Amino acid sequence: MWDDAFPSFLIGLREGLEAGLIVSVLVATLVRAGAKSRLPQVWTGVLAAIALSMSFGAVLTFTAASLSTAAQEAFGGTLSIVAVAFVTAMVFWMRRSARSLAGEIKEKVTEALAMGAGVLVLTSFLAVGREGLETALFLWTTARAADESAGPLTGAGIGLVLAAVLCWGLYRRVLTINLTRFFTATGAVLIVIAAGVLGYGLRDLQEGGVLPGGTAYAVDLSGSVDAGSWYSTLLQGVLNLTPTMTWLQVAGYAGYLGVVMTLFVRGVRGVAPAPAPSPTRRAPATQIPTGPAPATRTPAPAAPRAPAAPRTPAPATPAPSGRAPGTPPRPAKAPSPQPTPASTPAATPAATPASTRHRPAWLVPVAVVAVPAILAGLVVALARPKPAGGETVAVSAKDCGQGFTAPEPGRRTFQMRNTGDQTSEVYLIDPDTNAVYGEIEGLAPGTTRDLVATVAGGTYAWRCVPTDGKAVTSRAVRVGGAAGAGAVIPVSEQDLAGPLRAYKAYVNRGLATLVTETRTLSDDIRTGHLDTARADWLTAHCTYASLGAAYGTFEDFDQKIDGRPDGLPGGVHDKDFTGFQRIEYGLWHGRPADELKGPARQLADDTAGLRKAFPHQDFDPADLPLRAHEILENTLQFELTGDTDQGSGTGLATADANLAGTRELLTVLRPLLTARAPHLLPTVDADIGRLRTLLDAQHHDGRWTPVDRLGRTVKDRMDGATGQLLEDLSPVPDLLEIRKSA
């Protein structure tokens, strides 16, 4: 989270400081001009800018969510590049304008004071609104890159709060900051961050099909870099540098960084030193916000002029044009008494229409917040996809898909109503390939449920499969446009029959080996060779652990062979605590051989019984895809926490055996997975290699490092690598789920 927060913190600090400085100058100028009554107009403009920025962020978020996957990638990539352009322009603008910002804002306020209230509201709105829109766009981009919003929003919030504190300190003159140096240093850092955002945006455009080269990788370190390590997470969160990058990403990143950073550094070096300030003034870089003047302030240089004729009271009050005290007066059109603050043009009764005198003070602030919010809501509502044709699609054993018309591309919701008398499975398919775009399981008679699917260019049809009937396919419709909707090629029991036979043969061989190894272990204990028994125990236990995908078919044998003492009334001393873990507890807790002879002989008998029973046990082919994920879930929950360790300290050895079993399972499933997700297995293979390397590093001279003796960094890397492997394996059950649509 915190690695994703830093870029947003920096943008929040910079943009917040820019907007805060502008507001500080606006407020200070009005206070010095004796026009405090005009301050609500400034805050109204600021409030309108904040409302517009938040509404803009909401539009980006909810509009993108309604797009198809490919369109989301293209939309996000485009806005990432726009965000980079805005940030780059902001960095160069502030580098040039930091010294003269106060003068420009004062001039605008002076002009606004001579005009109506709306001009001052507009001045503050435009000054702050640009920063707000840039912040909203950059935050949306970084949150999309991080795939979560908590970190970016937290970082931006901290940055904005810190910016507000700094602006208050500068306004009250309790802080002195060289703002030119500040904006120069943060500008250089932002250029580096923007280069990463550009690379991420280019990758999005490649995945969205807008740009080519999505599979042309210039860098692929996925096999050697731990994606879950702290340094990898930090680089991805802050700089958007990933272990795998395409040539276009690398070229965009390096090209942007080289060109923009060079121009920025040249511009910094080429800035001429500011003119030497007069003895009574500070350097311009620290004088952007000007708060209330101290009572002992040195008079301005124009003060020593010859005394003028006596004037009317309130000599410190500015002229109607909003001039600062001490500046030469403008030529008056006609002699008139010096007005008081209450008689400035904006406050005179003549300048205020009678119709607005009784207008509630809250009306304008509420309006400037409500209008952007309402407009944003309308945009989001209009952007959301509607059900195709607004019609209900009928489902029955005789007439599947009645009322189905060609939908528009995008995210679509279909109302499926079962008009028949049987519960039915419903699939939205490509009739040419049987690929499934969406499905509803168990649609009961007389009920209606929504089916949501992404539609792109291609051919679509409905397939209804009643519980006690044959599949019925609707007429096909053609949707124009580019292809891009994700579809899954269905898997049948017949498709899994070959992998199941291969895996059962692997388990049979493993059980034959296990029977021999447990007999050897029993003989070791019977003859009193406990040191040898400890080594043979680990060999046999790892063999059993490598058969993980078959656990669901072992019935009661699994509890007898490798049951844990959890939940048993007597714990490790309970009579029903048997198998590998019972023997492990005895061997590593100094129990005599005579006490372990019975459990060892029972373990050998149970493994022999399992080998004899396994060929006749029911092995559901649908279990194979599920086990690819579940084996390592158990590893992360039990072996890598030491929860199952009964004293041997060999949890990592068991984890290594579980990994070997997962690899064997993926070997038999590889043909099916390659046809459905060609990029999945190379990623998974790299994950397995990374985790295997981490485990091997803890195996020295036949001994494994106990889990509780692992260093914090090593343990975190191991957990991270296992978690990454689990995440990459998570699509396997859905890809290989047995469906009736084929």
Side-chain angles (χ1 to χ4, degrees):
M1 170 178 168
W2 296 113
D3 47 284
D4 296 321
F6 177 74
S8 298
F9 164 77
L10 189 61
I11 200 71
L13 177 61
R14 266 194 65 111
E15 298 280 10
L17 194 55
E18 289 181 26
L21 291 175
I22 293 172
V23 173
S24 297
V25 174
L26 287 170
V27 172
T29 305
L30 290 175
V31 170
R32 287 194 165 196
K36 288 186 178 181
S37 61
R38 307 289 293 273
L39 288 177
Q41 298 166 16
V42 173
W43 297 121
T44 299
V46 171
L47 195 62
I50 294 174
L52 179 65
S53 303
M54 296 180 69
S55 300
F56 179 58
V59 168
L60 291 179
T61 300
F62 293 107
T63 301
S66 67
L67 300 175
S68 66
T69 302
Q72 286 186 37
E73 299 293 346
F75 182 69
T78 301
L79 289 184
S80 295
I81 294 176
V82 172
V84 170
F86 279 171
V87 170
T88 306
M90 175 264 293
V91 166
F92 280 90
W93 176 80
M94 183 51 75
R95 191 203 66 197
R96 293 192 306 267
S97 305
R99 294 177 179 272
S100 59
L101 180 64
E104 294 176 4
I105 297 299
K106 288 179 182 178
E107 183 178 351
K108 291 180 180 179
V109 174
T110 301
E111 296 173 355
L113 279 171
M115 304 177 72
V119 178
L120 192 55
V121 172
L122 183 63
T123 300
S124 58
F125 170 76
L126 293 177
V128 178
R130 187 189 70 172
E131 319 300 336
L133 291 176
E134 289 178 356
T135 303
L137 179 57
F138 194 87
L139 274 180
W140 184 87
T141 303
T142 52
R144 176 179 169 80
D147 201 23
E148 58 101 10
S149 58
L153 290 179
T154 301
I158 296 173
L160 290 172
V161 170
L162 180 58
V165 172
L166 291 176
C167 287
W168 179 87
L170 290 170
Y171 176 79
R172 303 300 302 180
R173 299 205 171 187
V174 297
L175 289 176
T176 301
I177 300 175
N178 190 316
L179 292 170
T180 301
R181 290 183 179 177
F182 171 82
F183 285 119
T184 298
T186 56
V189 177
L190 272 178
I191 288 173
V192 176
I193 293 175
V197 174
L198 176 62
Y200 177 83
L202 293 174
R203 181 58 179 165
D204 270 356
L205 291 175
Q206 288 179 316
E207 292 179 350
V210 178
L211 295 176
T215 58
Y217 296 108
V219 178
D220 188 358
L221 303 177
S222 57
S224 56
V225 174
D226 182 8
S229 63
W230 66 268
Y231 55 85
S232 180
T233 304
L234 184 65
L235 287 175
Q236 291 183 56
V238 176
L239 303 179
N240 273 303
L241 291 176
T242 58
T244 304
M245 297 182 70
T246 64
W247 282 105
L248 182 60
Q249 282 182 279
V250 173
Y253 185 95
Y256 173 89
L257 193 60
V259 173
V260 176
M261 186 65 78
T262 300
L263 294 175
F264 184 78
V265 172
R266 284 183 179 177
V268 171
R269 292 177 178 176
V271 173
S278 61
T280 58
R281 297 180 65 188
R282 294 182 180 179
T286 59
Q287 299 234 352
I288 290 182
T290 53
T296 58
R297 186 176 180 181
T298 305
R305 291 182 301 167
R311 303 177 68 182
T312 55
T317 305
S321 62
R323 288 183 288 105
T327 57
R330 295 180 180 177
K333 293 182 179 179
S336 61
Q338 181 71 19
T340 62
S343 63
T344 56
T348 58
T352 306
S355 61
T356 62
R357 292 177 184 174
H358 304 291
R359 183 177 59 196
W362 51 264
L363 183 60
V364 174
V366 169
V368 299
V369 172
V371 170
I374 292 172
L375 291 177
L378 290 174
V379 171
V380 171
L382 293 174
R384 286 189 177 277
K386 300 179 176 53
E391 298 176 350
T392 299
V393 180
V395 175
S396 72
K398 296 181 179 179
D399 192 2
C400 179
Q402 183 180 1
F404 180 48
T405 58
E408 293 293 326
R411 192 77 167 164
R412 294 288 172 251
T413 301
F414 302 94
Q415 295 178 339
M416 312 304 300
R417 178 167 181 78
N418 190 338
T419 58
D421 57 1
Q422 295 186 50
T423 298
S424 182
E425 311 287 321
V426 186
Y427 302 91
L428 179 62
I429 65 168
D430 180 344
D432 297 329
T433 63
N434 287 327
V436 177
Y437 294 99
E439 63 184 297
I440 293 180
E441 297 180 353
L443 183 63
T447 60
T448 301
R449 285 163 59 185
D450 287 346
L451 186 151
V452 180
T454 299
V455 176
T459 305
Y460 296 84
W462 293 103
R463 180 161 293 165
C464 307
V465 186
T467 302
D468 298 319
K470 296 182 179 181
V472 180
T473 304
S474 73
R475 67 179 183 85
V477 299
R478 179 73 186 174
V479 176
V488 176
I489 302 174
V491 172
S492 65
E493 289 192 15
Q494 185 61 36
D495 293 326
L496 285 171
L500 181 59
R501 284 193 299 271
Y503 194 77
K504 290 179 73 172
Y506 163 77
V507 173
N508 275 318
R509 294 192 299 271
L511 289 176
T513 302
L514 181 65
V515 169
T516 301
E517 291 171 346
T518 52
R519 286 175 180 170
T520 301
L521 173 62
S522 179
D523 291 341
D524 293 337
I525 294 175
R526 180 176 54 81
T527 56
H529 297 97
L530 298 188
D531 288 337
T532 304
R534 294 185 183 94
D536 290 339
W537 174 90
L538 180 59
T539 300
H541 188 248
C542 287
T543 297
Y544 185 76
S546 67
L547 308 178
Y551 288 170
T553 66
F554 287 171
E555 299 175 351
D556 295 336
F557 284 102
D558 183 50
Q559 180 62 30
K560 296 176 181 178
I561 293 173
D562 202 31
R564 295 190 293 272
D566 305 346
L568 296 177
V572 295
H573 303 293
D574 196 278
K575 62 181 180 60
D576 292 327
F577 180 37
T578 60
F580 278 112
Q581 293 196 33
R582 170 67 181 89
I583 298 172
E584 177 188 6
Y585 180 83
L587 287 174
W588 274 272
H589 283 82
R591 308 311 300 169
D594 288 344
E595 183 179 313
L596 299 177
K597 288 180 181 178
R601 184 171 55 252
Q602 181 181 348
L603 174 62
D605 292 342
D606 288 337
T607 56
L610 174 59
R611 182 193 178 191
K612 183 178 180 180
F614 177 72
H616 309 288
Q617 291 176 336
D618 184 22
F619 199 143
D620 188 350
D623 285 347
L624 279 180
L626 295 175
R627 297 294 182 262
H629 193 267
E630 291 176 352
I631 297 173
L632 290 176
E633 278 186 338
N634 291 336
T635 302
L636 189 61
Q637 181 180 0
F638 299 116
E639 275 69 42
L640 294 183
T641 60
D643 187 67
T644 56
D645 184 13
Q646 301 299 328
S648 66
T650 57
L652 296 185
T654 306
D656 186 66
N658 288 338
L659 186 63
T662 300
R663 190 168 60 246
E664 183 65 30
L665 177 59
L666 292 174
T667 298
V668 301
L669 295 176
R670 184 171 293 270
L672 295 176
L673 289 172
T674 301
R676 288 158 178 80
H679 302 297
L680 175 64
L681 285 178
T683 301
V684 168
D685 289 341
D687 292 341
I688 291 176
R690 185 182 306 118
L691 181 56
R692 184 66 183 270
T693 300
L694 292 172
L695 291 170
D696 287 345
Q698 305 306 316
H699 188 204
H700 305 286
D701 300 326
R703 296 180 178 273
W704 291 85
T705 304
V707 172
D708 58 2
R709 296 183 188 176
L710 291 174
R712 178 62 181 271
T713 301
V714 173
K715 180 66 166 56
D716 288 346
R717 292 183 65 189
M718 202 170 289
D719 289 345
T722 307
Q724 183 65 50
L725 177 54
L726 280 171
E727 181 177 343
D728 291 333
L729 283 173
S730 60
V732 172
D734 286 336
L735 290 171
L736 302 185
E737 179 184 355
I738 296 177
R739 293 177 168 88
K740 299 178 182 179
S741 60

